[in-house]
Amino acid sequence: MSLIPKKGNVYVVDDDEAVRDSLQWLLEGKDYRVKCFDSAESFLSRYDPREVACLIADIRMEGMSGLELQDRLLERKSPLPVVFITGHGDVPMAVQTMKKGALDFIEKPFKEDELAAIVERMLEQARAAFSTHQEAASRDALLQRLTTRESQVLERIVAGRLNKQIADDLGISIKTVEAHRANIMEKLNANTVADLLKIALGAAAKA
């Protein structure tokens, strides 16, 4: 059996075993890898934010509700795309979840093609978020290689300061500024000032 994820990982959280089984059967038939949980609590205890995945959760469950689960994920700053399963009369509650960032909601009984389309949309979003996170982590790792003084010089380069101005700002010689610039370029694998700006401004945008 292949250990490589198929079309993507889908978490299903529902306290109704019949619904879990139905979703697992349906989604595995569409070539997704499915992991089912019978409560929000059990899901949170095993959720790995490093996985590229999406979440389908019932809005009403025993114990922690879908709304509370969403709040916990928001507290963790999780990028996990979420869609909620709703029963009749839960639409106002589902709208509330979308205002908090849920991608969509589906009403029971759900249609197979509609569900598959939503899952694919969520996984596309998850892949994009994961890629952005990886790029940010790579930038952060590069910037952490700089000394405190090099970080001060880089900050001023980004602000558009000239070497002479940076030297005056920091009370060092222009030659020392030039040496720091060369070290910064090397440590950040940058060939041009434009490369430096992309790395530094990308990290600032993330912050």
Side-chain angles (χ1 to χ4, degrees):
M1 187 177 80
S2 173
L3 296 177
I4 300 171
K6 299 177 181 180
K7 287 168 68 175
N9 294 303
V10 183
Y11 298 120
V12 173
V13 182
D14 198 307
D15 57 1
D16 185 328
E17 185 178 3
V19 173
R20 292 197 307 273
D21 288 347
S22 173
L23 283 169
Q24 185 165 12
W25 177 83
L26 191 158
L27 291 168
E28 286 182 345
K30 296 285 186 181
D31 212 26
Y32 295 103
R33 174 174 289 172
V34 183
K35 298 180 183 179
C36 293
F37 301 88
D38 60 5
S39 70
E41 292 88 347
S42 64
F43 165 72
L44 285 172
S45 70
R46 299 180 209 170
Y47 167 51
D48 184 352
R50 295 169 299 179
E51 282 192 330
V52 178
C54 64
L55 170 64
I56 300 173
D58 195 356
I59 210 162
R60 291 184 186 274
M61 293 184 283
E62 293 293 325
M64 188 186 297
S65 70
L67 283 170
E68 291 170 317
L69 171 57
Q70 184 182 30
D71 287 339
R72 293 290 179 87
L73 290 170
L74 289 171
E75 286 168 11
R76 295 184 183 187
K77 295 181 168 53
S78 167
L80 187 68
V82 183
V83 63
F84 285 99
I85 301 169
T86 65
H88 182 67
D90 288 339
V91 171
M93 198 184 302
V95 171
Q96 186 181 340
T97 71
M98 292 187 72
K99 288 179 179 178
K100 290 184 178 181
L103 196 66
D104 211 332
F105 65 90
I106 48 176
E107 292 186 83
K108 299 175 187 174
F110 32 79
K111 297 176 182 175
E112 184 174 328
D113 290 342
E114 178 186 344
L115 177 63
I118 290 173
V119 165
E120 191 51 45
R121 187 152 50 97
M122 286 199 292
L123 286 170
E124 284 176 10
Q125 181 176 311
R127 291 180 198 110
F130 185 77
S131 175
T132 299
H133 174 76
Q134 290 292 89
E135 288 172 7
S138 296
R139 283 195 302 266
D140 289 348
L142 286 173
L143 291 169
Q144 284 171 11
R145 298 168 64 184
L146 302 182
T147 64
T148 300
R149 180 62 89 193
E150 287 165 353
S151 294
Q152 292 170 342
V153 171
L154 177 59
E155 183 181 328
R156 285 161 176 78
I157 293 171
V158 171
R161 306 285 283 171
L162 302 174
N163 283 358
K164 183 179 185 309
Q165 294 171 315
I166 295 172
D168 291 342
D169 289 345
L170 300 177
I172 55 180
S173 70
I174 293 177
K175 282 192 174 181
T176 302
V177 173
E178 290 171 348
H180 283 316
R181 284 184 77 124
N183 287 339
I184 292 167
M185 298 283 277
E186 183 178 350
K187 287 183 179 180
L188 299 187
N189 300 323
N191 296 316
T192 65
V193 174
D195 292 338
L196 282 184
L197 293 176
K198 286 175 187 174
I199 294 168
L201 294 175
K206 176 191 165 227

